[in-house]
């Protein structure tokens, strides 16, 4: 068992087949729901649907918390999910629920079904109400970004930061201290289903001399604190022709696979940056602690804003790297 992703529109009735394989025996597999969705309702399939394939698909009464763990009655291991009635699609996930598979002797580890909106968004920060716990790192005089409540070009309710204190290395002419926006708790999660997906966000700059840029430019960093037995693992995406930013407004889109150009942070200037492998990419996504978005592009003062940070699901997890 692993995780599966389904997408649902408003007022959908979603038939979900739970996944399980036993390669060692020919035993009949059963599924057991261990955690219900926090939003919407989960149902057993109805008798008529199980026997004849007739509507309605779902039983009249939803599954109840007090009955967990609850065996799925459908021999095809199918259940029905209904989003909250007449509620607009969320910006990210609807919800998730968990289950285990049994071969009659052994029980699998818990698997998770994640139900997203129709755009397959796993997580997003849109900063509608507040800064969502985002911070600023590397800026000595600003550690919390400001949430702006108005629209500005393509940005609508966003966070911004500014750099009014410059520490220039006299030998290189570059900043000694580079500042970043650091994600809040929403992005501290498992995002292995984002493998081969996309990270997307808007940048805007209200001030700054973008003809004088720092170099190199670590546009995004993905950090996993638990990877490599707690040593940690950070992947960096440096600016290239696809994400090169020189002020104004720009939608940044970066692929979440090893072929997109991610490199491993060696942790010291004495070692080179090496291209991330498939399994390193998946390991970091599976246990993401936080992500960082560069704010300090110029060698002088600047004011930079971030909006609509989105992680989109990919099209599957490589079998040889499943955890």
């Amino acid at each position: 068992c692993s995780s599966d992703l389904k997408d649902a529109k408003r007022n959908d009735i979603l038939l979900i087949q739970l996944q399980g394989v036993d390669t060692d025996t020919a035993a009949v597999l059963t599924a057991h729901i261990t955690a219900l969705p926090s939003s919407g309702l989960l149902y057993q399939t109805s008798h008529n649907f199980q026997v004849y394939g007739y509507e309605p698909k779902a039983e009249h009464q939803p599954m109840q918390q007090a009955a967990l763990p609850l065996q799925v009655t459908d021999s095809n291991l199918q259940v029905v999910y209904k989003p909250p009635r007449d509620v607009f699609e969320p910006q990210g996930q609807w919800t998730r629920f968990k289950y285990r598979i049994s071969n009659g002797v052994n029980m699998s580890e818990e698997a998770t079904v994640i139900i997203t909106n129709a755009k397959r968004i796993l997580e997003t920060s849109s900063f509608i109400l507040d800064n969502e716990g985002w911070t600023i790192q590397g800026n000595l005089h600003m550690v919390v970004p400001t949430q702006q409540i108005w629209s500005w070009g393509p940005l609508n309710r966003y966070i911004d930061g500014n750099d009014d204190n410059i520490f220039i290395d006299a030998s290189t002419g570059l900043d000694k201290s580079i500042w970043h926006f650091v994600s809040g708790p929403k992005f501290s999660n498992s995002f292995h289903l984002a493998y081969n997906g996309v990270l997307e966000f808007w940048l805007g700059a209200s001030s700054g001399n973008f003809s004088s840029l720092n170099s190199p430019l670590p546009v995004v960093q993905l950090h996993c604190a638990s990877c490599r037995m707690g040593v940690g693992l950070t992947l960096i995406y440096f600016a290239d022709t696809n994400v090169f930013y020189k002020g104004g407004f720009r939608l940044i889109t970066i692929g979440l696979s090893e072929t997109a150009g991610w490199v491993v942070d060696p942790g010291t200037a004495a070692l080179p940056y090496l291209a991330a492998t498939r399994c390193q990419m998946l390991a970091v996504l599976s246990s993401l602690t936080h992500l960082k978005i560069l704010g300090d592009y110029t060698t002088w003062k600047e004011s930079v804003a971030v909006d609509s940070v989105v992680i989109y699901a990919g099209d599957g997890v490589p079998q040889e790297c499943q955890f």
Side-chain angles (χ1 to χ4, degrees):
C1 287
S2 56
S3 296
D4 196 12
L5 184 139
K6 304 293 181 183
D7 57 89
K9 299 178 182 178
R10 181 186 183 193
N11 292 336
D12 259 357
I13 298 177
L14 198 62
L15 182 66
I16 300 172
Q17 185 167 35
L18 307 179
Q19 303 297 315
V21 177
D22 186 352
T23 59
D24 296 329
T25 72
V28 175
L29 300 180
T30 57
H32 303 258
I33 304 299
T34 56
L36 293 175
S38 59
S39 176
L41 297 171
L42 196 64
Y43 297 80
Q44 302 272 17
T45 55
S46 69
H47 175 76
N48 279 351
F49 184 78
Q50 291 181 31
V51 177
Y52 306 109
Y54 296 162
E55 298 285 345
K57 293 183 178 70
E59 280 191 346
H60 181 65
Q61 294 294 330
M63 299 181 189
Q64 300 295 323
Q65 181 70 32
L68 298 185
L70 181 63
Q71 182 171 333
V72 173
T73 58
D74 191 306
S75 61
N76 292 318
L77 309 185
Q78 298 179 119
V79 294
V80 176
Y81 171 75
K82 296 182 182 180
R85 185 71 180 171
D86 294 328
V87 172
F88 288 107
E89 290 182 35
Q91 291 184 322
Q93 299 177 26
W94 282 103
T95 189
R96 57 179 64 194
F97 66 89
K98 296 182 179 182
Y99 66 95
R100 297 179 187 269
I101 297 293
S102 172
N103 62 4
V105 178
N106 299 311
M107 191 75 73
S108 72
E109 297 294 322
E110 274 191 326
T112 303
V113 176
I114 299 173
I115 302 172
T116 69
N117 61 18
K119 295 181 179 179
R120 294 169 61 85
I121 293 176
L122 292 174
E123 193 56 86
T124 180
S125 274
S126 55
F127 311 113
I128 297 297
L129 300 177
D130 52 37
N131 65 20
E132 298 189 14
W134 283 64
T135 58
I136 289 178
Q137 187 178 84
N139 188 330
L140 296 179
H141 297 278
M142 189 174 191
V143 295
V144 178
T146 303
Q147 185 232 8
Q148 306 293 357
I149 61 173
W150 51 72
S151 295
W152 175 40
L155 281 58
N156 181 20
R157 291 181 177 263
Y158 54 92
I159 58 172
D160 65 12
N162 57 74
D163 188 4
D164 289 331
N165 295 275
I166 311 302
F167 300 93
I168 298 296
D169 186 329
S171 64
T172 64
L174 303 175
D175 270 355
K176 289 184 178 180
S177 179
I178 303 296
W179 63 274
H180 301 78
F181 298 95
V182 183
S183 62
K186 291 169 68 173
F187 287 88
S188 180
N189 211 329
S190 174
F191 292 102
H192 64 285
L193 292 174
Y195 178 81
N196 222 23
V198 169
L199 170 66
E200 183 180 273
F201 56 91
W202 276 96
L203 287 177
S206 59
S207 66
N209 179 11
F210 283 82
S211 64
S212 179
L213 299 177
N214 284 306
S215 180
L217 294 171
V219 177
V220 175
Q221 299 179 47
L222 304 176
H223 179 63
C224 167
S226 62
C227 290
R228 297 197 292 197
M229 300 181 68
V231 174
L233 179 60
T234 299
L235 304 183
I236 304 176
Y237 195 97
F238 287 106
D240 58 16
T241 55
N242 293 322
V243 299
F244 201 70
Y245 179 64
K246 297 197 71 174
F249 299 110
R250 180 156 187 191
L251 179 64
I252 304 295
T253 301
I254 302 173
L256 293 173
S257 75
E258 71 284 356
T259 62
W262 295 88
V263 296
V264 177
D265 183 357
T268 173
L271 296 175
Y273 292 99
L274 299 178
T277 66
R278 177 181 298 178
C279 291
Q280 285 173 329
M281 191 80 213
L282 188 58
V284 171
L285 290 173
S286 297
S287 301
L288 189 66
T289 304
H290 61 248
L291 61 88
K292 296 181 182 180
I293 296 175
L294 182 65
D296 198 347
Y297 280 83
T298 77
T299 58
W300 201 241
K301 300 176 181 180
E302 71 267 293
S303 181
V304 175
V306 171
D307 195 13
S308 302
V309 183
V310 182
I311 293 180
Y312 291 95
D315 55 5
V317 177
Q319 293 293 323
E320 64 269 29
C321 293
Q322 285 190 351
F323 295 90

